[in-house]
Amino acid sequence: MAPMLILLPPSEGKNQTPKGPQPAMAVYSGVLYKALDYPTLSASAKVRCEKSVVIISAKYGALSPSDRIEFYKEKINSVAMRPIVEKKLAGYTHDLIIDCRSSTYQAVWSAPAEVTVAIRASTVVDGERKVITHMSKKTRGDVAKFLVMQSKSPKTAQELQKLVAKEFKCELVKPEGKKSWFLDVIVKN
C-alpha cells in the first residue's frame, strides 16, 4: 500500500499546446499549480509527485503529472466523468488521501472518508475562524508542494497535521458523520 495520494483539481489557467500534447504539469498554470511550482522541484520530489499526485480533469479524467494532454476549455460533467475516474482510481490503495480538490471536483469521486483529509484554507477574523475561498487554491498548492518535498509521507491524519504544522499553522478537524477529516491551514489575512 502506498502511503499517500494527493488529489488535485485541474486549473482554469492552461498553457497553450501548439506543438501537441504536453505533460499535465506543463499545461496547468493556475494559482494552485503556480504555488506547486513543479519545474523547481528536486528530482526526488518530482518522483514523489509522480507517484502520489492524481489530477482530476474535466476532459481527461484522472491524470498523473506526466500524462500528456492538450490545451482545453471544458467544464466538468460530474455524472459523465464519475465512472471514468472511479475506474482509474479503483486500483489505488493508499494509507492516506489528501484531497486538495474543490467541491465541484470532489463530486466526481468520493474518496473513502476514513482515510481522507481535505485541505481547507481559513483565516481568523475578530477571533473567529472563517473558511476562505480566495486563497484556498494557493494554500492547497503550497501544501501539495511541501508534501512532495518531504522524504517521508504521512500515513494518518494525525501524522499529516504534525508534518504540515512544521511549515504552516494548521488544525486537524475530526470527521463528522460520513465526512472526511479536514486540515484547516490558517493563512494570514
Side-chain angles (χ1 to χ4, degrees), residues 27-113:
V27 175
Y28 295 121
S29 61
V31 174
L32 185 149
Y33 291 87
K34 284 180 179 159
L36 179 57
D37 201 11
Y38 184 81
T40 67
L41 294 176
S42 68
S44 59
K46 286 179 180 176
V47 168
R48 280 189 292 281
C49 188
E50 187 65 31
K51 288 180 178 179
S52 60
V53 168
V54 171
I55 303 161
I56 306 302
S57 162
K59 182 174 182 175
Y60 296 100
L63 299 169
S64 294
S66 63
D67 285 347
R68 299 178 78 75
I69 63 171
E70 293 183 334
F71 173 87
Y72 66 94
K73 281 204 172 277
E74 203 164 313
K75 298 254 185 228
I76 189 81
N77 178 335
S78 297
V79 174
M81 194 55 73
R82 187 173 295 121
I84 296 165
V85 171
E86 284 178 350
K87 184 177 180 183
K88 174 94 181 226
L89 294 178
Y92 283 77
T93 54
H94 290 82
D95 293 329
L96 185 64
I97 298 172
I98 299 140
D99 198 344
C100 295
R101 299 173 298 161
S102 64
S103 58
T104 301
Y105 284 88
Q106 287 175 347
V108 176
W109 182 67
S110 298

Side-chain angles (χ1 to χ4, degrees), residues 104-134:
T104 301
Y105 284 88
Q106 287 175 347
V108 176
W109 182 67
S110 298
E114 63 278 4
V115 294
T116 301
V117 180
I119 305 298
R120 292 190 300 200
S122 62
T123 191
V124 178
V125 178
D126 297 327
E128 193 174 323
R129 181 145 347 119
K130 305 266 185 194
V131 174
I132 56 173
T133 56
H134 67 278

